[in-house]
Amino acid sequence: MSAGNHSFVTEFVIVGFPGLLPEFYGLASTVLFLVYFCTAVGNVVILVLFATDRDLHKPMYFVILHLVVSDILFSTTTLPKIIARYWFQAGAISFTGCFVQMYLVHYFGTVNSYILFIMALDRYVSICFPLRYPMIIKNSTIHILSTTAWIVAKAGPLMMVIRAYPLPYCDSNKIMQCYCDHIAITTLACTDRVPYSFPAFVVAMLALLGPLVFIIFSYCSIIVAVVQIASPQGRLKTLSTCSGQLIIIALYFLPRCFIYLASNIGIRFSTDLRIVIIMLYSLLPPMINPLIYSFKTKYIKQSLMKRFKKSTDPQKESVPAVS
C-alpha cells in the first residue's frame, strides 16, 4: 500500500467505552486514575524494597523484579491516555502515536508472558529438583533468561506494526477500545482484514500458548511431586510457595486466551463488555500483583515488616514514659 492511502486519517480518536454516558466521564477517569496510582505505588514499593534489601537479591525475586518493571511500563503506556480522554476530553492520538502505543502494548504483554514462563521454570526446578536447584537456577541464569525474554519479545509486535501501518485507513478513525491495539486498529482498515489478522493471531497465540504449555506441564509436575511428600505440613508448605504465582498466571493467561479465541472463532460480545474484559485482564494484574508478592512471598513480606517496624519504632521511643 502506498503512503498516500493514509491521507484520509491523520489521527485516531480513542473512544473508550462507547456506551458510557458523558455524566459518568468524571467517575470513569477517577477510577482509572486510582487504578494507575495504586499500580504505580505498589510496584514502586516493590522496586524500592528490592533496591534496598539485599536479602531479595535471589533468583525468584529477580524474576519478580522484571515482572514489576513490565507491569509499570504497560500501565504507563495505556492508562494516561484513556484517563485524559475522560478527564479532559482529549482522546485524539496521532496516527504514528497510535501505532507506537500498539507496539508497546503487545510488546509488554509478550514480555509478561515470557517472564511468567521463567517464573514457572524457577518453581519447577525448585520443587521437582531441589538438590540441583542452586546449580541450575542462579542469579546469572535469571539475568540471561530475562534479558532474552525482553529481546525476543520485540519480534512479534514489530511484525504486527510493520504489516498494519501501511494499510489504507480511509473511513472511521474511532478506536473502540481504551488504547490502540492490533484488533482495534486493523478493524478500521478499508481492506480485507483476514490476511493481516490471522498472522497476528498466530503470533499472539505463540506468545501466549507457548509459555502456557510449559507452565501447565511444570505445575502438573509440581503437583505430582507434592503428592509424593509424606508430611501433610510439607505438602501445604510446598504448595503455598506456588499459590501466588498460580494466581498471577491465571489472571494473565485465562482471560487473554478467551478473548483472542472468541475474536477469531466468531463469538460476539457487546463492545462495552468486551472492553471491560480486556481492561480487567490488562489493568487488574499490575495493580494486585504487588499485594500478591507482599502476602504470598516470604522475603518480600519480611522486608515489608522490617520497614514497618523501623518506621514505627522511633514513634514508640518518642512517647514519654508514664510514671
Side-chain angles (χ1 to χ4, degrees):
M1 300 294 177
S2 66
N5 287 327
H6 295 159
S7 59
F8 291 95
V9 172
T10 58
E11 66 177 15
F12 291 102
V13 176
I14 294 178
V15 174
F17 302 96
L20 188 66
L21 298 174
E23 52 263 37
F24 296 110
Y25 284 5
L27 177 62
S29 61
T30 301
V31 171
L32 291 169
F33 175 79
L34 289 175
V35 168
Y36 184 50
F37 179 79
C38 293
T39 299
V41 170
N43 284 287
V44 167
V45 166
I46 300 299
L47 286 176
V48 170
L49 289 176
F50 190 89
T52 57
D53 191 341
R54 295 195 63 83
D55 286 340
L56 299 179
H57 293 190
K58 298 176 180 178
M60 184 65 234
Y61 302 102
F62 276 112
V63 178
I64 291 176
L65 176 67
H66 283 277
L67 199 59
V68 164
V69 172
S70 180
D71 282 344
I72 292 175
L73 292 174
F74 181 88
S75 298
T76 302
T77 296
T78 56
L79 277 171
K81 188 61 190 177
I82 188 60
I83 292 171
R85 183 264 181 273
Y86 284 122
W87 214 325
F88 307 110
Q89 287 71 57
I93 182 170
S94 70
F95 188 91
T96 300
C98 196
F99 281 91
V100 170
Q101 187 184 56
M102 178 185 118
Y103 170 78
L104 293 175
V105 162
H106 292 290
Y107 173 56
F108 294 131
T110 306
V111 168
N112 268 19
S113 181
Y114 293 161
I115 296 299
L116 292 175
F117 161 81
I118 298 170
M119 184 181 287
L121 175 65
D122 175 88
R123 291 298 85 198
Y124 170 71
V125 176
S126 174
I127 294 171
C128 296
F129 306 97
L131 298 179
R132 299 175 61 186
Y133 178 82
M135 295 181 290
I136 298 173
I137 305 294
K138 305 175 183 178
N139 285 349
S140 58
T141 307
I142 297 300
H143 294 327
I144 292 170
L145 290 174
S146 300
T147 301
T148 302
W150 284 90
I151 294 172
V152 172
K154 294 176 181 291
L158 188 59
M159 181 275 289
M160 290 182 181
V161 171
I162 290 173
R163 286 177 58 83
Y165 188 85
L167 296 181
Y169 299 92
C170 52
D171 191 7
S172 174
N173 68 337
K174 296 185 183 301
I175 300 286
M176 297 299 174
Q177 172 58 292
C178 291
Y179 50 77
C180 299
D181 68 358
H182 187 269
I183 293 176
I185 294 176
T186 55
T187 298
L188 303 178
C190 303
T191 186
D192 182 11
R193 184 174 172 271
V194 173
Y196 304 92
S197 62
F198 184 72
F201 171 73
V202 171
V203 169
M205 285 296 99
L206 287 175
L208 285 172
L209 297 184
L212 185 58
V213 167
F214 175 79
I215 289 169
I216 292 172
F217 163 77
S218 66
Y219 279 99
C220 288
S221 301
I222 287 170
I223 291 171
V224 171
V226 167
V227 168
Q228 294 173 350
I229 298 175
S231 165
Q233 292 84 359
R235 288 198 292 268
L236 286 174
K237 183 178 179 181
T238 303
L239 284 174
S240 69
T241 65
C242 300
S243 58
Q245 288 92 328
L246 280 172
I247 295 171
I248 294 170
I249 287 165
L251 285 172
Y252 179 83
F253 281 103
L254 296 183
R256 274 180 166 83
C257 289
F258 175 72
I259 284 292
Y260 274 114
L261 288 172
S263 299
N264 285 272
I265 64 175
I267 299 176
R268 293 288 176 258
F269 311 101
S270 71
T271 302
D272 285 314
L273 177 59
R274 181 178 178 277
I275 294 171
V276 166
I277 296 173
I278 291 173
M279 292 301 284
L280 283 176
Y281 74 61
S282 297
L283 304 180
L284 194 60
M287 184 174 68
I288 69 172
N289 282 352
L291 292 176
I292 296 172
Y293 307 147
S294 300
F295 292 108
K296 291 291 187 179
T297 311
K298 176 182 175 182
Y299 287 105
I300 292 180
K301 187 193 301 184
Q302 290 176 350
S303 184
L304 278 171
M305 293 302 295
K306 285 193 294 184
R307 293 280 171 181
F308 179 75
K309 288 178 180 178
K310 284 182 180 180
S311 66
T312 55
D313 283 345
Q315 295 176 5
K316 292 179 181 179
E317 293 172 2
S318 64
V319 176
V322 178
S323 59

